Amino acid sequence: MTTTAPPTTAPATPSLWRHRDFMTLWTGQTLSETGSAVSTLAVPLIAVSVLNASTFSVSLLQAAGMAAYLLVALPAGVIVDRMRKRRLMVFCNLVRALAMGTIPLAFFAGELTMAQLWLVAALCSVCSVFFEVAYQCYLPAVVRSDQLLDANGKLSTTYSVAQVAGIGLGGGLVAVFGAARTVVIDAASFAVSAVSLLLIRRPEPEVAVPDGPRPRLREEISAGLAFAFRHPVLRKIVAASGTLNVFSQVIYALSVIYLVRVLELTPAEVAVQLALGTAGGIAGGLASGRLARRIGTARIIWVSLLGLGWTMLLVPLAEPGWRVAFYTVGMTGFAALCAIYNAAQISYRQQMCPPELLGRLTAGVRWIVWGALPIGAVLGGVLGTWLGVRETLVIAALGVWASGLWVYFSPLRRMRDFTPEPAGQS
């Protein structure tokens, strides 16, 4: 008598809610992002209300906080690939904690200056670049490959939660304690994030050491960019992300003017609209893993852009009164789009790239994609002045929606799910 073995089924992917190391990492990063959102409000308020800074000085403060993404992102990728990621992340968090902590100390000593605020913003910007590149490279060492998309979705939610909770919390804290004391929250959040990293139990893989002498810095930097541009899918994802960032920044650059001067909202109503729009990212981030499993881990990349991008066309249709809801729905849909799309495309990049090249690839992609942000902001100001605010928003909304065509007309259109490629292939 013969017996037939029962059919085997693939084991279900373990829930990240019960993954101790990931939850530790996620909790620490959520607190850190929330603290940073508090400082996003508190530090400019210190410059304006305490130091009586000029408009140009405050704009330099904003520029100092973004400059490192253009200046050091590419070499940061090389350095990240050469180091233990967790050790580097802990160091960056401690430096940011100390730097932010100097602001209230100098304030109470009566020695605070704009030069110090610029220096702190620039130093924190450099540390943020290194931390974020290392963070994306470290995640595959914490969770399984089939958990990456869900993990990136939850991490995308962190930013949206931080913006909603952090800015609201920051406003309340500034009103009660003053802007300088409120900055202590951000310094403490970086310290907590550093501790959370030290509590992760799973060991990090050894850093690969190449045989023979190391290539020159320029050659190592170009290796990450070359991998992205040679890959038939990654280069389309970079183009889509850059296009998305340019046109979305046009909308963000004009949002406050549009809400106040065209839709006739009060400052309190503007704050509510911005918070409601960001809340869409929370829902999108939490649902991204489930949607990707249903739609397909590869297919969701272009479906998210084309399937939700059209909602941005509602933004320029808003009018004073009840039709302000068009703006709310459009921006909520866009926030959900960004959370779902980013979780999927980052997971794709993490699985397609050899681990020893991931830092350089991540830094190269971020250099291009984040470099698009100031271009979009300037473009928004120019077009808004030349054509008008509403007309410019129509163009920007079409640009956001059309960004999905880059990935639709790529090999992704014929794929449902993606699987890791053998190391070294592109």
Side-chain angles (χ1 to χ4, degrees), residues 209-215:
V209 179
D211 297 330
R214 284 189 179 275

Side-chain angles (χ1 to χ4, degrees), residues 105-118:
L105 289 177
F107 169 78
F108 291 120
E111 300 293 336
L112 186 62
T113 63
M114 279 303 301
Q116 180 179 346
L117 293 185
W118 292 331

Side-chain angles (χ1 to χ4, degrees), residues 149 237 240-241 244 284 287-288 291-292 295-312 332-346 400-405 407-408 412:
L149 204 148
I237 289 176
S241 299
L244 181 69
S288 59
L291 288 173
I295 297 173
T297 54
R299 189 182 296 158
I300 192 66
I301 294 177
W302 64 263
V303 167
S304 60
L305 291 172
L306 295 178
L308 287 172
W310 68 269
T311 61
M312 290 298 277
T332 301
F334 176 69
L337 175 161
C338 290
I340 297 168
Y341 169 73
N342 283 328
Q345 62 95 3
I346 290 172
V400 167
W401 194 12
S403 66
L405 296 176
V407 282
Y408 180 76
L412 279 178

Side-chain angles (χ1 to χ4, degrees), residues 25-49:
L25 178 69
W26 190 25
T27 300
Q29 182 63 4
T30 301
L31 292 173
S32 175
E33 290 281 4
T34 303
S36 295
V38 169
S39 285
T40 299
L41 177 65
V43 173
L45 281 176
I46 293 173
V48 173
S49 61

Side-chain angles (χ1 to χ4, degrees), residues 33 36 62-76 96 121-122 124-133 136 159 362-374:
E33 290 281 4
S36 295
Q62 295 296 105
M66 293 295 295
Y69 289 98
L70 291 175
L71 299 178
V72 303
L74 291 177
R96 289 190 287 186
C124 288
S125 177
V126 171
C127 289
S128 294
V129 169
F130 280 91
F131 182 91
E132 290 166 12
V133 173
Q136 291 189 14
Y159 178 78
T362 300
V365 169
R366 291 178 72 86
W367 179 69
I368 296 170
V369 171
W370 283 69
L373 295 176

Side-chain angles (χ1 to χ4, degrees), residues 249-251 253-254 375-385 392:
Q249 198 62 29
V250 169
I251 293 173
L254 298 177
I375 296 174
V378 172
L379 184 63
V382 171
L383 292 180
T385 302
T392 301

Side-chain angles (χ1 to χ4, degrees), residues 251-262 265 270 274 327:
I251 293 173
Y252 283 126
L254 298 177
S255 282
V256 173
I257 294 174
Y258 183 56
L259 290 169
V260 173
R261 297 180 181 173
V262 179
L265 300 185
V270 170
L274 296 178
Y327 178 90

